[in-house]
Amino acid sequence: MIDLRLLREDPDAVRASQRARNESESRVDDLLRADEERRAAVQRFEAVRGEQKLLGKQVSSAKGDERAALLARTKELSAEVKAAEAAANEAEQALRKAHMAVSNLVEEGAPPGGEDDYVVLREVGTKPDLANPRDHLEISEALRAVDMERGAKVSGSRFYFLIGVGALLENALLQLAIAQAVEYDFTPVIPPVLVKPESMEGTGYLGAHASEVYRLEADDLFLVGTSEVALAAFHTGEILDLDGPIRYAGSSSCFRREAGSHGKDVRGIMRVHQFNKVEMFSFCRPEEARDEHRRLLAWEEEMLAKVEIPYRVIDTAAGDLGSSAARKFDCEAWVPSQGRYREVTSTSNCTTFQARRLNIRYRDADGRTQTVATLNGTLATTRWLIPILENHQQADGSVRVPKALQPYLGGRDVLEPA
RNA sequence: GGAGGGUUCGCCUAGUGGCCGAUGGCGGCGGUCUUGAAAACCGCUAGGGCGCGUGAGUGUCCUCGUGGGUUCGAAUCCCACACCCUCCGCCA
């Protein structure tokens, strides 16, 4: 949710942001109207409620006829208060709905345009010189690392088994990511992967992405698509002591329905219903958020460097940002078999948008409560196995293990076909 | 799954219909005393909405797990739900 004070003071800034996202500007006016209506309704309620309280106090001390007269009036008032309260509640609901419909303000500097209008900030690393690169599925079949067919047999399409060195490699990658996060003072977290509707809603995943989310009907719980959900909701309703950023590294399985992605990335483990991820999450002061965002990106790049994958960094265009994000940087790894870069990390600065919904605050220098900023970024996922396997494949069918991963693979420096 | 007990301002706690937005203690902050510290003593110490004020502030309304109900009036009575604890059953 955006800052309503900012909306009142500078509605044009919000309109401009909506325009940059290619989203409706009329929602801004709807929100302004709802805001005004709510304030009016609240004032009406407070007026009658104030009178009710005043007279109510007199009733207790009044006697005889005076008391009877007071009771007659307060009885009337009682109905008025009830009606006014209902109207105020209704206006509150309407405001909330209108509030939810407006996306976060785009950060200054984000590229204009839509999905294809990202800006490449840099390309890093050297692409391997491979005559006929095999794709990750061929490689992993030779290594007996991934079993797609049995995945489909047991669970359906887009499910898989990681087995043998596949399972070991993923564990190694995730451990490397956690170790790096701990090195930089992140608090490691294993969060619940089933969350209540409020938590899902608070992070904004029940909006445009609702169809992407698994829901457990019988228990009214959702399977998270990322540990970001649980990490963001961790401090719901709290007032944090913020000296510097508070950082968590969540490690969890993630679940996505992948509705509407029929035909896309059907081969291998590029796009699957279940995968693992180590996610960075920061709570900080709004004025620190921009710098923190750059730090998260730097940590993502450090991980990519550790696994020795060529990648590029893109600055997502305004029209392609999620509703909570003010700015988003993705790292895309080079995938030799496809001859192109594919997303392996994503870091978003959600400024105060997400925290306002979750009611997470801190105290400023004057002791006043202010809404915190939240940021998230990927440190490693199952998908990383693709560029790792493909970029480090060797002519003899084996795969070289990057140095940083070797300690987590029992010192192994090469994965040989089984 | 069954049976009980509980949920009050950071923590603990008082509070069974109006004088309660709420007692007391601990902790925290500030002060007095002291060369300094401790002790003692004094004061302050929930959040939010709306209005007024350039501002420090100030007025008012809401919030005693959440949502309803009863009542002129609810922390207090009733109902539903959530969560926590204990016991029983079942089970990784």
Side-chain angles (χ1 to χ4, degrees):
Chain A
M1 299 193 287
I2 63 163
D3 185 354
L4 286 181
R5 210 164 315 159
L6 178 103
L7 173 80
R8 285 174 211 148
E9 282 166 14
D10 191 2
D12 283 335
V14 185
R15 288 196 188 95
S17 174
Q18 286 290 99
R19 219 176 303 129
R21 287 174 171 276
N22 202 17
E23 286 174 22
S24 158
E25 281 182 64
S26 68
R27 287 181 185 177
V28 178
D29 298 294
D30 292 344
L31 180 53
L32 278 167
R33 201 173 321 114
D35 180 44
E36 230 162 89
E37 278 165 13
R38 186 199 70 115
R39 278 187 288 170
V42 164
Q43 279 170 34
R44 278 192 293 273
F45 163 68
E46 285 188 8
V48 285
R49 176 64 176 159
E51 190 182 352
Q52 182 188 42
K53 285 182 78 162
L54 201 70
L55 294 186
K57 268 179 193 148
Q58 293 170 16
V59 167
S60 57
S61 54
K63 299 224 163 56
D65 288 350
E66 196 193 341
R67 186 181 169 96
L70 272 172
L71 280 180
R73 172 64 187 138
T74 47
K75 217 155 207 167
E76 268 174 41
L77 257 182
S78 182
E80 283 177 44
V81 168
K82 212 163 268 186
E85 186 173 20
N89 284 342
E90 217 168 288
E92 186 88 47
Q93 289 303 314
L95 172 65
R96 189 171 172 80
K97 202 174 160 204
H99 206 168
M100 295 289 210
V102 175
S103 296
N104 198 4
L105 263 77
V106 173
E107 182 182 300
E108 205 177 317
E115 192 178 348
D116 301 322
D117 297 313
Y118 57 81
V119 168
V120 177
L121 297 180
R122 55 186 164 274
E123 294 191 47
V124 180
T126 312
K127 295 170 190 168
D129 184 17
L130 299 164
N132 288 302
R134 290 166 300 144
D135 81 355
H136 76 277
L137 197 51
E138 276 181 79
I139 297 166
S140 53
E141 273 168 359
L143 295 175
R144 297 235 178 109
V146 178
D147 190 331
M148 298 300 301
E149 280 173 31
R150 290 198 175 95
K153 177 176 76 177
V154 172
S155 299
S157 72
R158 297 193 188 279
F159 284 96
Y160 57 96
F161 286 80
L162 289 181
I163 52 177
V165 293
L168 292 176
L169 186 60
E170 187 189 87
N171 266 324
L173 176 69
L174 298 176
Q175 284 186 60
L176 177 64
I178 292 167
Q180 178 183 304
V182 168
E183 186 190 335
Y184 290 115
D185 281 329
F186 282 75
T187 301
V189 178
I190 297 176
V193 294
L194 287 167
V195 299
K196 295 195 221 177
E198 304 95 272
S199 303
M200 210 64 185
E201 172 128 68
T203 41
Y205 280 95
L206 289 187
H209 294 286
S211 66
E212 271 295 290
V213 174
Y214 283 105
R215 171 157 183 243
L216 277 80
E217 185 77 35
D219 300 283
D220 200 19
L221 289 170
F222 292 93
L223 274 163
V224 298
T226 163
S227 57
E228 174 196 343
V229 174
L231 293 176
F234 186 66
H235 285 303
T236 294
E238 297 180 20
I239 298 172
L240 307 177
D241 285 324
L242 272 193
D243 291 325
I246 297 178
R247 302 189 180 110
Y248 297 101
S251 186
S252 83
S253 291
C254 305
F255 304 88
R256 302 189 180 177
R257 293 186 62 232
E258 295 297 341
S261 61
H262 313 291
K264 271 189 201 166
D265 300 316
V266 285
R267 194 171 153 79
I269 57 169
M270 180 64 83
R271 192 175 296 277
V272 289
H273 289 309
Q274 178 185 338
F275 58 94
N276 291 306
K277 180 153 69 93
V278 177
E279 175 89 350
M280 300 179 283
F281 198 91
S282 292
F283 297 89
C284 69
R285 295 167 194 265
E287 64 269 23
E288 296 172 320
R290 217 185 146 103
D291 288 344
E292 181 71 357
H293 196 200
R294 303 311 186 272
R295 282 190 285 269
L296 293 183
L297 177 59
W299 283 318
E300 291 178 346
E301 293 192 61
E302 184 173 334
M303 264 303 288
L304 284 162
K306 279 179 181 159
V307 294
E308 301 169 33
I309 293 173
Y311 65 93
R312 68 177 188 181
V313 181
I314 69 166
D315 189 352
T316 305
D320 197 28
L321 292 171
S323 63
S324 300
R327 189 85 179 263
K328 178 162 80 108
F329 301 115
D330 289 353
C331 292
E332 299 183 328
W334 178 249
V335 178
S337 68
Q338 300 185 7
R340 61 176 177 137
Y341 289 102
R342 299 301 306 264
E343 178 184 332
V344 285
T345 74
S346 181
T347 178
S348 294
N349 179 0
C350 295
T351 61
T352 58
F353 189 87
Q354 199 172 53
R356 189 165 291 107
R357 230 186 261 199
L358 294 165
N359 191 26
I360 306 172
R361 293 162 295 167
Y362 71 99
R363 271 179 217 289
D364 65 17
D366 298 325
R368 286 185 219 278
T369 56
Q370 305 282 356
T371 304
V372 303
T374 59
L375 303 97
N376 61 272
T378 319
L379 215 43
T381 73
T382 304
R383 187 184 273 182
W384 284 43
L385 299 184
I386 296 169
I388 290 173
L389 291 170
E390 292 199 12
N391 284 288
H392 302 317
Q393 64 180 297
Q394 305 187 101
D396 62 0
S398 67
V399 172
R400 186 175 66 79
V401 176
K403 213 173 181 68
L405 283 174
Q406 291 174 13
Y408 300 99
L409 279 166
R412 218 186 297 211
D413 59 2
V414 66
L415 305 176
E416 310 269 6

